Amino acid sequence: MAGELEIIAPQSEQELSELVAGAMRKQTPLEIIGAGSRKGYGNPVAATSQVSTRAISGITLYEPAALTIVARAGTPLDEIREVLAAEGQHLPFEPADWSQLLANETRPTIGGTVATGISGPRRIQAGAVRDSLIGVRFVDGTGAITKNGGRVMKNVTGYDLVKLMCGSQGTLGILTEMSFKVLPMPRKTATLTLDGLDDKRAMEALSMALGSPFDITGAAHFAQSGDTIIRIEGFADSVAYRCNELTRLLAPFGPAEINDDPTVNQQLWQSVRDCTEFSGKPGAIWRISLKPSDGPKLVAGLRTKMPLEAIYDWGGGLVWLLVAEEGDCGAGAIRSAVAATGGHATLVRASDAMRSTIGVFQPEAAAVAAISSALRSRFDPAGILNPGRMYAPTNAMRKAG
Amino acid sequence: MAHVLMPEPDGRILGRRVEIIAALEAVAGPGNVISDPAETIAYECDALSAYHCPPLAVVLPRSTQEVADVLKTCLRLGVPVVPRGSGTSLAGGALPTADSIVIGVSRLNKVLETDFPNRFIRVQSGMTNLSVSQSVEAEGFFYAPDPSSQLACAIAGNIAMNSGGAHCLKYGVTTNNLMGVTLVTMDGEIVEIGGAHCDPAGYDLLGVICGSEGQFGIVTEAVLRILRKPEGARPILMGFDSNEVAGECVADIIKAGVLPVAMEFMDKPAIIACENFAHAGYPTDVEALLIVEVEGSPAEIAEQLAQIREVAQRHSPKVMRESESAMQSDLIWKGRKAAFGAMGQMADYMCMDGTIPTSQLPFVLKRMQEMSKEYGLGVANVFHAGDGNLHPLILYNANKPGDQEKCEAFGSDILKLCVEVGGCLTGEHGVGIEKRDLMTVQYNEADLEAQMRVKDVFDPAWLLNPAKVFPMAVSHSRRMRNSQGEAA
C-alpha cells in the first residue's frame, strides 16, 4: 500500500513538471497527494511512487477588496481560513475537513480540497467548490505546466478547464496553484430547529424554507433524533427578522426553537459539514447526491433491506448513510436505488479492500464514461496520474497507445 | 470589413450543395430546412453585425432526435455546423461560413418540467432567458442570470457563452445556475449530463460544456436552478469627484462585508450621454457615478443601505441619493439601462468586455482616457464594478473610412491592458471571432493546447463552430486534419 512508499515532495511547479515528465517516459504510476488528510478516500491507487504537493505552498496574492485569494496547492486549508478570517472573509463553499471521519490526524491542504471538490452545507446557497474556484495552474500527465481561468471572477475567455480540474482528484493533472472568489463572513448566525419530524415531513419543511425569500444557508435533518435545522446568516437585524418570518412560515411543522449562540452554531454546522455524527461509529459511510424530494423514499426503501442511520444535508439533496461494513456494504441496493432517481452514491469510508472491490464512485452512463475516459487519455496519455483513483485504470492505459 | 478573417469556404462542399440539402431534408423534414438564399440571409450574422455571411442552409429541428439526425448527417457529409440560439452574440459566436449549416434551436421552446419544491426548471434550450423567469414568476421565483439581451437571447446561447448579467455579484453567471444539460454531440450521440441533483459522480463535464461556445455539441434541454425572489430591492445613487475615489468606495463597500446585488459604475462621458438620453436625473457635474442596489425586506434594505452610506461618507460623495419609491428606482435604473441606446444615438460604437481585478480600476480608467486621446476616438464606460467586468464603449463613425479598423485596434489595446493588469479578455460575451486572435495574449501554447484537447474529445473532426475561439493558425492543423481542404 501507498503508506510504505517514499513520498516525493517537489519544491516548485517546475520541479514537479520535470518529475512527471520523467515518470511518463518511464511509465511510472504516481499516487498524488496533498498532505494526505483524505487518505482512505477514493479507490486505492496502485502506484510505485507517491508525490505530494505539500512543499509547493504559500498564499501568493490576497486582495480583500477584490474578494480574491490565490494560493499554491500545498497551502494548509487552516492557513487560508485564518488569513481570510482576519479580514472578515471566508471560502463560501464551507470546505469540509474529513480528518476525523477518516480517522486521520493530517490537516488538509487547499489543493486536496479542490482536487476532491467536497462542499459543505452552504453548497445550497453559495455554490460548490467549483463555483468559488476562478483559476488554476496544473501539471498534466506529460509534465506540461498549464493555466486556465485567472484571478477575476467573471471570465469566459476560452474553455472553463477550472471546473474540469475541480474534483478530478489528480487524474487529469496535478494542481499547483488556484484562485478563489471569497465572500464576507456573515456577522451573525442563527439556527432554527424543528423537532420530531419524520424524514418526509422534514424535507417538506426544508423545501418550504428554501423556497422562501429568507436566504437559507444551511438545511439539514438528522433521521435518528428527528431534529431539523435551518441556518440563517447575515447582519443582526436581518437575521432576527428572517428567524421571525421563518418561524411563522414553518408553524405547520410545529414550534421552532431559535439559537444564535456563536459557539453552538459553529459546532453544530461544523458537525454537519464533516459528518462527525458518524465519525466515531463503526461501519461503512455513503454520501448520496440526489433530488431532495427523492431522499425519504429512498432511505425508507433501503431501511427494509439493511440497518442504517441517515443524515440529510443540502435541504435533502445530500444524504449520508451509515451501514454495516460487510458484504458489499449495501452497494448493490444503494447504487441501483440511487441510479433510479438520477443521482449518485459515493462510498466515502470503507476498508481498502472494500473500496477496491465495490468501487467508490457510482459508474457513469456509457456515453458519459466514454467522454471521461477520452479526456483522461488526452491529459494523461501514459495513465500515470492516480491511476484507478476515480475510474478503472485500464481505460487510460489502453487508450494511451 | 474583414479585419477578422474566416476560412475560405470549401469548394467541394459548395459543389455538393444540392446533395447536402436533400440529405438534410431527408432527416429533418423539408419544412425544417431553409436553403433559399432569400431566407438564409436572415441567419448571416449575429449581434456582431459588422461580420456577415449567409450559410449554405439552415435547419430548425423540432426535437432532440432531429438535432441528432441532422448532426450525424453533417458528420457523414463532412459539413461544418454553426449552432445558433437567438443570434444575440456580441462576439460572432453564431457567425456562419458559406460552407456551413446553421442549426437553430428556436423551435425547441417548451417548458418540460417545473419543480418548485426542488427549485429547478427543465426547459428546451430555445426558450428565451426572460421567458424562463416569466414561466415561474407567478409562484414568486426567477432564473438569476440576466444578460441585457434577456428578452431575446436563448438559453442555448447563454449556456454556450456562459452569459452573465448585472446581478452576478450575488447570484453568479450561467454556469453557477446550470444543473444539467442534454447535449447532442457531432456523431449524433445524445448525452445526459447532470440533472436535478448537485455535483457529478465523476468529472465536471457540465462545467466545461458551459462556455464552450457551441464547439462541443448542441444543447437541446437544460435543467436550471430557480430561486425565490427577494422581498424587495432598492438602489442608491452616488456621485464622486474622480474615478479613483469611486473605485475606492466600491472596494470599501465590499470590505465592509456588504454584498450588494449590483454595483454599476459610470464614468463622465457615460453619465452625460445617459442623462441627455434618458433624463434620469443623474448629476452631470460629477466624474463618476455608482448605482448600488441591495435586496431584502424593507428593514433589511434599510440596514444594508445604512452601512453603504456610512462607507460612502468617508469618500465625500458629491451626491448621494437613496431611492424612496419604486418610481425613483425605475428612474435610476432607466438611465443605466439606456446606456447602449444613448451611445447609439451619438455614434457607432463597439462594446468591449474585459475583466480586471477591481484594485486596478482607477489605473485602467486613466489609461483608457489616454488611449482615447492617442486614437482620437471617444470612449465611455458603464460596467459592473463589483466584479471588475468592464464594458468600454468605443465611439466611431462606420461611414468614415478606416474608423472601424482604428476602433478595433483601440479595442484590442484595451483588452491587452486588461490582461496585463491581471484580468482577462472577456468577462461575459465570449471569444467567438471577435477576440479569437487575442487568445495568445492571455494563454500560452500549452494553455491553448489543453483547451483544444477537450474539443478533440467532444468533436474529433472539428466540424462544430470551427475557426472560432482559437487563433486560426493555432487551430489550423486540427481543422485540416479531417477537412478535405481549406484555402485559408
Side-chain angles (χ1 to χ4, degrees), chain A residues 89-142:
Chain A
Q89 297 183 337
H90 67 176
L91 292 169
F93 57 88
E94 223 172 348
D97 177 354
W98 288 356
S99 46
Q100 231 183 309
L101 193 69
L102 301 174
N104 184 326
E105 305 273 285
T106 323
R107 307 298 303 145
T109 62
I110 191 66
T113 301
V114 169
T116 45
I118 307 294
S119 315
R122 207 177 280 105
R123 167 79 181 85
I124 48 168
Q125 188 256 1
V129 186
R130 54 93 99 178
D131 295 300
S132 295
L133 190 68
I134 55 179
V136 290
R137 293 180 65 89
F138 63 94
V139 172
D140 76 5
T142 70

Side-chain angles (χ1 to χ4, degrees), chain A residues 150-168:
Chain A
R151 50 165 289 204
V152 288
M153 61 178 86
K154 258 172 102 184
N155 185 351
V156 293
T157 319
Y159 303 152
D160 193 349
L161 304 188
V162 173
K163 306 277 187 302
L164 190 61
M165 294 307 295
C166 185
S168 65

Side-chain angles (χ1 to χ4, degrees), chain B residues 157-338:
Chain B
N158 289 180
I159 294 169
M161 305 314 248
N162 190 12
S163 305
H167 296 82
C168 314
L169 189 59
K170 181 164 179 195
Y171 296 113
V173 296
T174 301
T175 191
N176 313 111
N177 293 278
L178 178 68
M179 302 175 73
V181 292
T182 300
L183 178 84
V184 188
T185 48
M186 195 64 211
D187 56 2
E189 180 107 46
I190 298 168
V191 193
E192 300 287 343
I193 293 167
H197 60 279
C198 284
D199 302 342
Y203 296 146
D204 187 357
L205 301 181
L206 188 64
V208 76
I209 287 165
C210 187
S212 61
E213 306 210 3
Q215 295 198 310
F216 290 0
I218 294 184
V219 170
T220 57
E221 293 176 15
V223 180
L224 308 172
R225 175 170 293 110
I226 50 172
L227 299 171
R228 180 66 187 262
K229 275 192 190 168
E231 290 174 88
R234 198 189 307 162
I236 180 169
L237 183 144
M238 296 177 276
F240 296 90
D241 265 339
S242 75
N243 289 331
E244 283 82 355
V245 176
E248 282 161 16
C249 183
V250 169
D252 284 352
I253 290 172
I254 289 173
K255 270 201 277 194
V258 190
L259 193 67
V261 67
M263 275 210 268
E264 298 291 300
F265 190 121
M266 300 168 84
D267 67 3
K268 183 143 199 171
I271 300 167
I272 291 173
C274 292
E275 179 55 25
N276 288 343
F277 184 78
H279 309 293
Y282 292 167
T284 48
D285 59 342
V286 298
E287 288 296 318
L289 196 66
L290 287 180
I291 301 171
V292 182
E293 181 159 273
V294 296
E295 286 181 345
S297 65
E300 292 173 287
I301 287 174
E303 189 180 22
Q304 293 175 75
L305 286 181
Q307 299 240 6
I308 290 169
R309 292 182 87 104
E310 193 193 311
V311 172
Q313 286 297 359
R314 301 206 295 262
H315 300 279
S316 323
K318 283 189 78 174
V319 178
M320 186 148 70
R321 196 192 307 149
E322 212 172 280
S323 160
E324 276 158 14
S325 66
M327 220 177 74
Q328 284 185 15
S329 299
D330 286 349
L331 196 61
I332 288 177
W333 278 111
K334 188 181 158 203
R336 164 62 184 89
K337 287 178 178 167

